[in-house]
Amino acid sequence: MELRAIMEKFAASGWDLIAVPAQQWLDGKGDKSSLIEAIKQADKECGSCGCDFDPLYKKALELLA
């Protein structure tokens, strides 16, 4: 599943903003709205820096919608 693969990358990122809620989601303990807000915040802070995560923020939000 594409969303699961993205969440695994987020969880392994080392950036608590997305790593923690992504890991909670993977563990089945996450709150979807909190996860969406964290991804939106990450996209706002880092979504155009040119790293591999930039397109993943937008794709994750699309898949979670």
Side-chain angles (χ1 to χ4, degrees):
M1 183 173 174
E2 187 177 14
L3 183 57
R4 181 166 189 81
I6 293 171
M7 290 304 147
E8 288 170 353
K9 287 182 183 184
F10 287 170
S13 71
W15 187 18
D16 286 350
L17 176 64
I18 57 169
V20 172
Q23 187 60 57
Q24 290 172 341
W25 183 88
L26 288 167
D27 293 342
K29 301 174 185 170
D31 174 58
K32 184 177 175 181
S33 62
S34 296
L35 176 62
I36 290 170
E37 287 307 311
I39 296 170
K40 284 180 180 178
Q41 185 63 34
D43 186 40
K44 182 179 176 183
E45 290 183 24
C46 183
S48 60
C49 73
C51 75
D52 292 342
F53 287 93
D54 290 353
L56 297 181
Y57 302 133
K58 290 153 187 68
K59 186 64 177 178
L61 290 171
E62 178 184 313
L63 294 170
L64 286 165

